[in-house]
Amino acid sequence: MTKTATEVMNKVGALFDVEYAPAGFQVNGFYTRTPLVGDKPMYKWVNRLSDDKECIPLAIHKSSYPEVDGYKHLADMAEFMFPLSSTECTLFGDGERVLLVQQLTDPIDIGDGDIIQSNIIWVSSLNGSWSTKVYDMTDRFFCQNQLIGQPLISVRHTTNHDNLLSMRVEILEGAKARANAWTGQAREWKDQKMVDQQFFDMVNYLMPIPQGEKVVDATKERMKHKRNNVLNRWYNERNKYGDGDEGIGDAWSAYNAFQGAEQHYINAKGRGHNWSRDRALIKAVDGKTPLATQAFNYLQVMSR
């Protein structure tokens, strides 16, 4: 169910107040010195204010860094451009970054009940790690894979009506083009059959087990765990959409086996057994999905 951007962002506490305070340092532990550039502080804190006005530091910036009212401007722009279309919001850490999902089209069945949903995502940050941008994102219902593309637009902070409408057109045109491209690619790959041995060859090519005297056993084991996750996803895919008894799947299932393993296992895994969906989302937005990229390129070559 879609809602307003304000409702969705409020639900996760993303529309908090912020303050910008001069940054200084203690001298001899007795008093705080604040370096100045002219009559302005050289650096400033951006703090999150809680309901009881307690400050939570989010980042420190130079004095020239632009000040915004938290993420309220993002909610206003997203809702103005695409009203009542927001579905979920992720707030990272204490509020250093935010991601908002909007659904602009209906889901598409690419065959055999395999449903994909084209969305757009807005990202922004208060710590300077992300500028405000809009990306395309394709959700696949069966495996919960999220395929995040390239930025459609870098958003300018503005309240000008004509500028907002211009950005809306640019986002819509870009999102439509990306959605059509992914839908076409998915259907093409679904028609391209793959047997188990072809997939095993792909795994061996993209994820070889390290060899050599200097390679420790732990390194080999980590790669084996990653490969096993990819293989298990392949078996689930081809049993669902292919012929499991004959060991026949398709190229679309092969791509999702690699992409899903990277999203849900490789990029989500931290030290020890610390799993984090947020960690995987950040890496996807930052384009740190080399395995999915290599799988895409491999299948493109194989399709020729």
Side-chain angles (χ1 to χ4, degrees):
M1 179 180 178
T2 57
K3 300 180 179 180
T4 68
T6 299
E7 287 177 299
V8 171
M9 295 181 74
N10 254 331
K11 185 176 181 180
V12 297
L15 298 183
F16 51 82
D17 292 326
V18 298
E19 69 167 6
Y20 294 85
F25 59 92
Q26 283 194 331
V27 179
N28 297 326
F30 293 106
Y31 66 93
T32 299
R33 179 186 172 192
T34 303
L36 300 176
V37 177
D39 59 347
K40 295 183 178 180
M42 184 178 294
Y43 296 97
K44 58 187 175 185
W45 288 102
V46 53
N47 296 323
R48 173 180 178 170
L49 298 179
S50 61
D51 292 339
D52 57 4
K53 298 304 178 183
E54 179 184 355
C55 294
I56 302 174
L58 299 180
I60 188 170
H61 298 299
K62 290 184 177 180
S63 60
S64 57
Y65 197 85
E67 298 184 6
V68 295
D69 56 346
Y71 298 122
K72 296 172 185 176
H73 66 284
L74 187 148
D76 291 342
M77 284 194 293
E79 188 60 28
F80 176 84
M81 294 188 198
F82 309 107
L84 289 171
S85 61
S86 299
T87 58
E88 64 176 301
C89 178
T90 301
L91 189 68
F92 299 91
D94 288 322
E96 290 87 350
R97 310 190 225 200
V98 73
L99 182 153
L100 173 70
V101 181
Q102 290 189 302
Q103 178 182 321
L104 306 186
T105 61
D106 293 327
I108 297 173
D109 187 336
I110 59 175
D112 303 320
D114 195 351
I115 309 296
I116 61 175
Q117 171 69 62
S118 296
N119 300 309
I120 62 169
I121 60 172
W122 298 71
V123 303
S124 190
S125 73
L126 291 171
N127 66 359
S129 56
W130 286 345
S131 57
T132 305
K133 293 182 179 180
V134 178
Y135 292 74
D136 66 289
M137 181 178 75
T138 302
D139 284 331
R140 183 168 180 247
F141 290 9
F142 170 63
C143 55
Q144 300 301 307
N145 285 1
Q146 295 177 314
L147 315 175
I148 297 178
Q150 299 297 314
L152 298 174
I153 189 173
S154 292
V155 178
R156 303 178 298 277
H157 294 179
T158 179
T159 57
N160 182 280
H161 188 269
D162 290 340
N163 289 343
L164 289 170
L165 291 178
S166 176
M167 283 192 285
R168 181 180 188 276
V169 170
E170 191 171 349
I171 292 170
L172 282 174
E173 290 178 347
K176 182 179 179 181
R178 296 280 175 82
N180 289 340
W182 259 120
T183 301
Q185 183 66 80
R187 285 174 170 158
E188 178 185 329
W189 279 345
K190 281 188 77 70
D191 290 337
Q192 183 178 337
K193 300 304 178 185
M194 285 184 72
V195 298
D196 281 346
Q197 188 57 55
Q198 287 177 298
F199 186 77
F200 299 157
D201 291 342
M202 184 177 179
V203 172
N204 288 329
Y205 182 81
L206 297 181
M207 305 178 72
I209 297 175
Q211 303 295 332
E213 295 180 359
K214 295 183 179 181
V215 179
V216 298
D217 290 341
T219 300
K220 295 180 181 180
E221 287 302 312
R222 282 195 293 270
M223 179 56 75
K224 288 178 182 179
H225 285 309
K226 294 176 182 178
R227 286 163 57 105
N228 287 339
N229 196 278
V230 172
L231 289 169
N232 287 335
R233 291 176 188 278
W234 164 253
Y235 295 138
N236 290 336
E237 289 277 349
R238 65 124 157 91
N239 290 343
K240 173 73 174 179
Y241 295 112
D243 189 336
D245 293 335
E246 297 295 328
I248 300 174
D250 55 52
W252 174 240
S253 292
Y255 174 75
N256 277 282
F258 279 92
Q259 194 277 333
E262 186 167 52
Q263 175 188 333
H264 300 294
Y265 177 73
I266 298 171
N267 279 354
K269 189 175 186 298
R271 294 182 181 275
H273 296 283
N274 178 23
W275 300 86
S276 172
R277 170 183 176 270
D278 291 0
R279 182 184 295 109
L281 264 178
I282 289 172
K283 288 187 175 182
V285 172
D286 291 340
K288 296 178 180 178
T289 53
L291 186 58
T293 300
Q294 291 166 14
F296 183 94
N297 294 336
Y298 182 100
L299 292 169
Q300 288 286 75
V301 172
M302 195 180 79
S303 302
R304 294 173 185 168

